[in-house]
Each structure stands twice: as structure tokens, then as C-alpha cells.
Amino acid sequence: MQNTELKKLLESLSLEEKICQLLQVCGYYYEMEGVVTGPQNTAGFNEKEIANAGSVLGIAGAKRLKEIQKKYMAAQQHHIPLLFMADVINGYKTIFPIPLAQGCSFNPDMVKKAAGISAKESAAAGLHLTFSPMVDVVRDPRWGRVMESTGEDTYVNCVFAKAMVEGYQGTNGLNKKGKIAACVKHFAGYGAPMAGRDYNTVELSERTLRENYLPPYRAAIESGCSTAMTSFNTLDRIPSTANKKLMRDILRSEMGFDGVLISDWAAIEELINHGVAKAQIDAAKLAIEAGVDIDMMTTCYCRNLKKLIEDKIIDKALLDEAVFRVLQLKNSLGLFENPFKDADEEDEMAFVLCDEHRKFARKLASETMVLLKNEEILPLPKKGKKIAFIGPHTSHRWILGAWSIFGEEKDAVSLEQAIKEMEIENASFAAGCPILTSTENLEMAESSRTAIAEDNKNAKALLDEALLKAKEADIVVLSLGEHPSQSGEASSRVDLQLDAQQIELFNQIYNVNQNIAVVLFNGRPLILGEIFDKAKAVLEAWLPGTEGGNAVADILFGNENPSGKLTMSFPRHIGQIPIYYNEFKTGRPYHGDGGKYFSKYIDCPNSPLLPFGYGLSYTSFEISEVSLSRNSMTCQESIFASVRVKNTGKIAGKEVIQCYISDKVGSVARPVRELKAFQKIKLQPGEEKEVVFEITEKMLRFYTIDMEYKSEPGEFDVWIGNSSLTQNGQTFNLV
Ligand code: GLC
């Protein structure tokens, strides 16, 4: 529909019809089904509100959504189509690794392809929009939603924000088949809650907010992201959903976002809890004035905007601009021409979990895994050795992640299943211990809760069986980690160690067999302690999705050479958090060489156990010294920094060559270094390749003492290597 016709449609709507377009209810109200991903709001919508709500979230299925759409459009005067939205975060039915893992792939092309598959499957199931990508920068693994982010680094999050938006939306229009609208979230700064406690206060200086936290949202918007979501938190004590400066000045004016802004679940009504609104009507006023278009799951808008307009407390123009954006979104999806878009039962049947998607999910999962330690025990031999696969993640399928709301464990491949299908000789299997001692405070399927309770009841027998098999084996592969319910929304933790029974299992096995390769299945960096020291190998598998078991087996047996790198630092101790690589020098930087009056702990090194950008391979790479095309540049010039990388091992492998820059003196303190670019390259044994990075003036910009975003002349170091610890550098000047 042309914009002129859309304008006419807007003008033809009654005040009530307009207001209902800004209401979003969850599928629960349509079919007493659908996923509830928030506090089941006591909104108590009435039949009229549900029948006229402009969008619905959390329900999918071609047949079901076509029926709802048909009924919905027939019931209202202007036959405006309903928008179907849902959290397709790491896959629809074919579940990919959690986003934190996807970031560790350092492979945006593969992540873009995964988003494309997610869009294709969910569009066939009738969905129009996904509440993804979540691009919140996270420096605190206590926060459960770290699993949903691509980690602690601003630049990495920008790269993957772009990849996911382009994967979901394509670049030729949302109305194209197999494409869905993306929604960048949570604007803004949600990943920095105090004490790592979800929904808690966020205190960031404007400089830190703008330099470290805002760029990924901007990257999503510059990639054409069609919608955005407000965050639950306050910034400078102003809840985002009521923050005019954040939403109208920064998001819309500075970043040029002109799409639909949707509140997070009940976030408008929660302005009352924040204490900035006395009642619903005040909350509705604040939110509409801040430019929030859709009210997710409260009656603030639908029961108060009419009065606010009739009493001339707010201008009708605010309502019209919001409704017009919603109509434009529906129009860009082509819903006025075809309200069912891609919903098609046959396509749905053909696409979801098809072999092609499974094969890719398996490839991507292995690409995300990070080899953290390997004392020549991996890859494992496929025959000739007795290998015991032990641990709570060996046979269970708890590998999809907290946001795999449409994925099903029954479709997932466990490690045990994968090993059996690989016909590995002399493999034995044992659970060894329950994954958790208690499931209290955790939300999970009753089947999981029952299985965990059963394992706890049989804990001694599980341990005895495991020790027997460990004694008989040459090698033990010990699969440990978290249950998916331990990470995700509203799942912050104060203790990041493995469950006590898992630690006990490791220690007991270590007493009878020290050839242990640990595989971690977790949604966040954990405190690994002695396990890391004692294990001969540690593979970080994250929560690897539907094909996770096959992908782990591919890595363990060398079908795939691990190439992932950490996008989150692993602390040695929880007391170090927040810990991240691009910290500041301080006035008393400590370099580990003793002395008292330095910025350090008296009971722990400053450094993380495992740093950002770190990950091993089954082969080895040599990286030459950095050479520069010149040693100084003006703002109009650039410098080419290059290294030669050689695969000095016996098998092919991929390496992530990372380019960091440090600004040695600035008008404000500057980070010790910042990632500015990376290239993931594949080299055959003996193969050598030159990797070149162009250093531009734009890369050197920051918020100066006057809060101007620009570069300052001076001396810089450029470091090029395979982790944030690289000391392989050269100096250059910006003149
Ligand atoms: C949740 C989450 C948000 C999600 C929304 C809809 O509370 O914060 O990320 O997209 O509700 O499920």
C-alpha cells in the first residue's frame, strides 16, 4: 500500500481503533496457549481489547496463525492485519547455539546464515517479527542474559548485530518470502545492571554509555533494523521506557531510527514500580511522550490514552505518529496485500529441522566451540582406546538454551547419541551425578525437574557406576555445566561454580583416572577453579543447540578443528567481576611484579583465568611481527598494518587474527586496548597468508573531554595477534 493510502487509512480510524493498534497481548490470550515470557500480567484484558489488539507475541504455527488472522480481520471494521511477533533468539525449531556461543565463532557470515534460516522457518510458521538481536554489551557473567548477548566487546557486538539483522530481514524488503522483521534490544544499557542482578539499576557515565554500550544498537539500526525494544532498567535514574532523551533525542534523532519502538513486557506499567509514575495514566503519558509506540502486555495505553487526548494532556499527534509507524511496519511486511505473508503448513513441514538446516546447525555449533586447554589428549582416537563418557550432560538433551522457546529437546542430539551414531569403539556412558542438587527457584519443564530429582535419589549409584567405568577407561570425557534454566532472563547467579556434586564427581574420577577431557555446557563464563588446573583438556561447548551432541563429537574426534575464541573473559574468582579486557590503566597500574601500592588484590591476580579473544586449535599458527605501511597518518589518511600467518601444524585450521589499538594519551583516560577489527582465516598445513588491516582515523575516535566524538593527534600502538593478550605490536602517530 502506498504511504498516501496508509495516511488515509490512519485518518479513517476511530480513536479507539488507533489506540488498540498500540496494544500487544501474548498468544496466551488467543488460544490459552503460547509462551509467557514475563510476569503473567494481571492486566485482565477484556474481550474487545484482545479482539482489537494490533499485535500478539509468543504464538506460532502456520495453521493456527492463519485462523487467528482470518478471524481477527473479519472482526474489525478496517480489516487491519494482526502482527505476529515472538522471541526467535537462536533459532525457531532448528535451534542454533546460544548467541554468546555464536559470537565466539567470530564468523559473522555463518551467524547471518543462521538468522536467515531462523527467519525462513519462523516465517513459514506465520511469524512476522523476532525480538532479536539482543545486542546488550555484558561485562558481568552473574547476569543470566549474558547467554543472549555476543559478549563484552562493543565492536564484536556491532559486527553480530549487523549480521543478525541482515540475516533476519535480508536487504531487499521485509515483504520478501522467508524474511521477518528484526527488533534490536534492549535499548539501552540493560546488560550493565548493578551486582549482575536482572532488572537492577544501571549507572553508566554518558561517556561509557555512548562509547561502549550504544554502538551495537546503532549498528543494528544502520543495518536497517525495523523495530527496537525498550529496556527494563533505569539510566541516570530514568527508566528507559520513560526516557525522552534516550528515545527521542538519541535513538530517533541521533541514530535516525524511525521504526516501531515497543516496550518490553509490562515495562510501561512498571514505571509505577520504578516510582516515576503514580498510576497507569501517568505511565502512559510518560511512555507515549518518550516515543514508545507499542505497549507490550499492559492496559496502560488502551485504557488511558483516550482520556489523555480528550483532556488535552497529550496531543493526538503523538498517538497518530505511533499508530502510523505500526501501520508502516505492517505495510512493509506486505500484510495489507497478504495478511498471511509466508504462513504455509507445507513449507513449515518442509523447512523446520530439515537436513540442510540440521547440517548447518552442526557446522555452526562446532565453529562456536572454544578449546580452552589441551595437553595432547584431544582429538580422541576413534578406536584403540577405551573412552568413558561421563557427566550429567552426556545423555540429557539440555543443550538448547533458555530462549529456545519453540525448540524441543526431543529433536536435539545428545553427546551419547552422537557417539553411538559415530560407532566409536569401546565407548561407555554414565551420568555420574545429577546436574543440580536442587531445582528450587528454577523454572523448567516438569520432565526435567523429575529427571533431576530422580538422579538425586540415585546419586550414590550414579557415582559408583561412573567410577567403575572411569577405572576401566583409558580416557574420560566429562561433560559438566549448567542446566539451561540457570541462565537467561531473571536467572542471575551469585555463585558461578559448577554444582557441588559435579565438582565432587570430577574429583572422585580424578582419583582413579587423570586422563580427563572436560566438556562444558553452560550459558555463561563459570568459575572453573581446580577443574581447569587438573583436567588435561577443557572444551567450551556452551549450549550448542539441536545438533550440539554431534558438534561436540566432531570436535572431540577431530572431524572439526576447534576455532572459537572467547568473547567474554572467564574470571578466576567471582570477586573480580566485572572483569573485561578493555579496562583502564589507573594511576597505579599493576604489572604483576610485586609492590604494595598498586591497583591489585592481595588474594588474587588481576588477570582473568581466560582472556577475551582466547581459544586454542589442534594445529599451531605462527604470526609474524606487525609491519606498517607508514608510521604516521593524518586524519585523511590510513595506515595498513599487516602480519604473515603460517599454519605450522599438521592439520588445517582456522585462526582469528585480532587487531587491537591503544591510544597512549588522550584528553580522558583511554582503555589499555580495544578490538577494532578481526579476520578469521583458514590455512592448510604449512600454508602462509598475509593478513592486512586498514587503520583509519574513524577507528581512533572517542568521546573527548568535551564530549566530542573525534580523534586526537598523538601516539598509538597497534597490536595484532590471536587473543587480547598479544604483545605483537607497532607504534604509529596520528598527526
Ligand atoms: C521479555 C524479555 C524480552 C522479550 C520479551 C517478549 O521480558 O525481556 O527480551 O523479547 O519479554 O518475550
Side-chain angles (χ1 to χ4, degrees):
M1 189 189 286
Q2 294 302 320
N3 250 11
T4 44
E5 292 173 83
L6 217 54
K7 279 275 186 204
K8 282 196 193 116
L9 172 61
L10 175 70
E11 280 143 24
S12 69
L13 299 179
S14 67
L15 190 56
E16 289 77 2
E17 281 179 293
K18 286 179 183 176
I19 291 169
C20 274
Q21 282 299 309
L22 306 188
L23 170 60
Q24 180 170 95
V25 298
C26 68
Y28 176 83
Y29 284 95
Y30 274 81
E31 299 267 303
M32 302 310 281
E33 270 187 50
V35 180
V36 175
T37 52
Q40 188 43 44
N41 192 288
T42 51
F45 299 109
N46 62 42
E47 284 309 309
K48 189 162 172 277
E49 287 156 348
I50 293 168
N52 290 293
S55 58
V56 60
L57 83 147
I59 190 168
K63 186 172 181 308
R64 180 187 295 139
L65 297 193
K66 281 162 73 175
E67 282 164 7
I68 292 173
Q69 185 73 288
K70 214 177 290 172
K71 207 165 87 179
Y72 173 86
M73 289 181 69
Q76 32 117 349
Q77 185 189 345
H78 290 87
H79 312 300
I80 300 171
L82 191 58
L83 260 177
F84 292 109
M85 306 186 184
D87 296 279
V88 178
I89 305 299
N90 48 302
Y92 174 64
K93 283 286 183 186
T94 304
I95 300 299
F96 298 104
I98 55 173
L100 181 59
Q102 292 190 35
C104 291
S105 71
F106 278 80
N107 192 324
D109 289 345
M110 289 186 81
V111 167
K112 178 176 174 179
K113 184 171 175 182
I117 290 171
S118 304
K120 185 177 173 186
E121 290 192 359
S122 51
L127 288 172
H128 303 138
L129 180 147
T130 176
F131 296 124
S132 174
M134 185 274 220
V135 302
D136 302 314
V137 169
V138 191
R139 294 169 155 174
D140 187 335
R142 292 171 296 180
W143 189 54
R145 300 192 77 163
V146 61
M147 52 73 64
E148 202 182 340
S149 159
T150 46
E152 71 187 47
D153 182 65
T154 304
Y155 174 73
V156 166
N157 285 20
C158 289
V159 167
F160 287 104
K162 178 177 186 298
M164 290 181 186
V165 168
E166 290 179 353
Y168 292 129
Q169 298 192 158
T171 46
N172 302 320
L174 294 180
N175 58 346
K176 293 294 179 291
K177 183 160 182 167
K179 297 303 170 192
I180 56 174
C183 178
V184 62
K185 68 186 188 182
H186 306 78
F187 200 71
Y190 179 38
M194 277 186 162
R197 196 176 81 228
D198 208 352
Y199 317 123
N200 202 7
T201 306
V202 172
E203 286 286 351
L204 295 171
S205 69
E206 172 141 9
R207 182 172 283 107
T208 299
L209 173 69
R210 286 179 172 277
E211 213 158 282
N212 297 99
Y213 288 83
L214 291 186
Y217 305 108
R218 179 189 291 274
I221 289 158
E222 286 173 354
S223 305
C225 192
S226 47
T227 66
M229 183 184 290
T230 69
S231 62
F232 289 118
N233 57 284
T234 57
L235 268 174
D236 198 17
R237 303 184 192 171
I238 305 165
S240 301
T241 308
N243 193 328
K244 277 171 80 171
K245 180 184 171 201
L246 188 65
M247 298 306 174
R248 288 196 181 274
D249 300 347
I250 295 178
L251 178 64
R252 293 198 185 279
S253 305
E254 277 184 40
M255 293 189 180
F257 176 68
D258 60 359
V260 168
L261 177 61
I262 184 168
S263 80
D264 202 339
W265 189 298
I268 295 180
E269 188 163 63
E270 289 174 4
L271 296 176
I272 300 169
N273 296 341
H274 279 292
V276 299
K278 210 158 157 243
Q280 271 207 349
I281 191 160
D282 310 303
K285 176 177 182 296
L286 288 170
I288 197 83
E289 285 177 341
V292 179
D293 299 318
I294 293 181
D295 175 1
M296 185 190 290
M297 277 302 290
T298 90
T299 50
C300 289
Y301 274 10
C302 61
R303 298 203 184 152
N304 295 286
L305 285 183
K306 185 166 186 272
K307 180 167 174 42
L308 285 168
I309 289 168
E310 286 170 348
D311 295 354
K312 300 199 182 325
I313 297 169
I314 63 166
D315 192 310
K316 187 170 81 63
L318 288 182
L319 172 67
D320 286 349
E321 75 171 14
V323 176
F324 193 60
R325 282 193 281 257
V326 172
L327 295 178
Q328 282 179 306
L329 175 60
K330 295 183 178 187
N331 195 38
S332 61
L333 285 157
L335 298 184
F336 287 103
E337 288 74 32
N338 172 9
F340 308 119
K341 196 171 184 300
D342 300 348
D344 181 295
E345 294 88 323
E346 281 174 27
D347 280 351
E348 186 178 16
M349 190 69 76
F351 296 163
V352 297
L353 291 162
C354 65
D355 284 350
E356 181 199 338
H357 293 178
R358 276 186 176 270
K359 278 199 189 89
F360 180 74
R362 178 170 179 166
K363 272 282 183 202
L364 176 58
S366 63
E367 190 89 1
T368 67
M369 294 178 187
V370 188
L371 185 58
L372 302 177
K373 181 180 182 183
N374 187 21
E375 291 168 352
E376 278 129 43
I377 189 172
L378 296 179
L380 300 171
K382 289 185 173 118
K383 55 185 177 192
K385 291 281 184 190
K386 285 184 194 158
I387 305 174
F389 294 87
I390 298 173
H393 268 292
T394 301
S395 312
H396 288 295
R397 294 177 168 80
W398 294 324
I399 53 179
L400 302 186
W403 275 111
S404 53
I405 57 176
F406 298 104
E408 296 180 78
E409 282 176 8
K410 69 174 180 56
D411 298 320
V413 178
S414 69
L415 178 56
E416 176 175 355
Q417 189 183 340
I419 298 300
K420 285 177 176 168
E421 283 170 9
M422 263 186 189
E423 293 172 349
I424 300 296
E425 286 177 9
N426 298 324
S428 63
F429 304 91
C433 74
I435 190 168
L436 279 166
T437 304
S438 161
T439 59
E440 204 183 337
N441 292 334
L442 295 176
E443 193 177 85
M444 63 176 74
E446 276 320 299
S447 57
S448 293
R449 204 180 299 278
T450 308
I452 295 169
E454 195 62 22
D455 286 350
N456 273 289
K457 221 186 303 173
N458 305 325
K460 182 165 181 344
L462 293 179
L463 184 56
D464 292 346
E465 181 200 15
L467 289 176
L468 203 60
K469 289 179 177 173
K471 275 183 198 135
E472 291 161 358
D474 299 308
I475 300 167
V476 173
V477 175
L478 193 48
S479 296
L480 306 171
E482 291 183 307
H483 184 272
S485 62
Q486 289 180 271
S487 59
E489 185 171 359
S491 305
S492 297
R493 295 178 62 189
V494 293
D495 178 356
L496 299 186
Q497 298 182 83
L498 290 163
D499 183 274
Q501 292 191 73
Q502 293 190 39
I503 296 173
E504 177 62 13
L505 174 65
F506 177 90
N507 291 332
Q508 293 271 359
I509 286 178
Y510 186 75
N511 290 338
V512 300
N513 188 328
Q514 298 189 355
N515 286 327
I516 302 175
V518 167
V519 182
L520 293 170
F521 294 86
N522 43 305
R524 55 159 53 88
L526 296 175
I527 305 294
L528 300 174
E530 275 198 344
I531 287 178
F532 186 79
D533 302 332
K534 290 179 172 176
K536 286 213 169 130
V538 181
L539 174 69
E540 178 55 77
W542 302 114
L543 294 173
T546 306
E547 285 290 320
N550 280 329
V552 170
D554 286 338
I555 296 271
L556 289 176
F557 288 96
N559 300 342
E560 293 290 347
N561 184 355
S563 62
K565 300 283 183 180
L566 293 178
T567 61
M568 277 287 282
S569 309
F570 271 56
R572 296 174 192 277
H573 189 283
I574 197 136
Q576 292 180 291
I577 294 172
I579 184 168
Y580 45 93
Y581 83 94
N582 49 345
E583 60 178 6
F584 294 88
K585 301 171 194 116
T586 78
R588 296 192 173 182
Y590 184 61
H591 303 297
D593 42 9
K596 178 176 175 57
Y597 298 97
F598 293 94
S599 179
K600 65 182 177 67
Y601 303 101
I602 58 172
D603 54 358
C604 180
N606 288 1
S607 60
L609 175 70
L610 299 160
F612 173 87
Y614 171 84
L616 301 175
S617 170
Y618 290 151
T619 187
S620 53
F621 297 95
E622 221 164 63
I623 301 175
S624 73
E625 287 186 357
V626 176
S627 65
L628 300 180
S629 59
R630 56 200 314 169
N631 287 319
S632 73
M633 61 184 260
T634 65
C635 289
Q636 290 69 39
E637 296 167 330
S638 57
I639 289 178
F640 291 92
S642 59
V643 292
R644 295 200 63 75
V645 185
K646 183 174 183 179
N647 179 344
T648 51
K650 297 187 175 57
I651 60 169
K654 295 175 191 169
E655 182 59 296
V656 179
I657 305 300
Q658 303 153 47
C659 178
Y660 296 86
I661 289 181
S662 40
D663 183 349
K664 301 175 90 166
V665 179
S667 55
V668 295
R670 305 286 292 119
V672 292
R673 59 177 65 185
E674 294 173 291
L675 183 70
K676 292 294 180 183
F678 63 81
Q679 292 180 38
K680 186 165 197 176
I681 60 170
K682 180 169 185 176
L683 294 175
Q684 295 304 321
E687 187 183 1
E688 195 172 355
K689 186 178 176 188
E690 187 181 43
V691 177
V692 185
F693 294 101
E694 184 178 10
I695 300 171
T696 62
E697 179 270 334
K698 202 175 165 200
M699 286 177 169
L700 311 180
R701 294 178 189 169
F702 65 102
Y703 284 89
T704 64
I705 189 90
D706 302 321
M707 279 306 281
E708 289 176 73
Y709 188 63
K710 62 180 190 177
S711 58
E712 292 174 343
E715 203 173 66
F716 295 80
D717 287 334
V718 53
W719 313 95
I720 299 180
N722 60 5
S723 94
S724 57
L725 296 182
T726 181
Q727 291 305 308
N728 188 32
Q730 284 287 357
T731 300
F732 67 90
N733 282 286
L734 176 68
V735 295

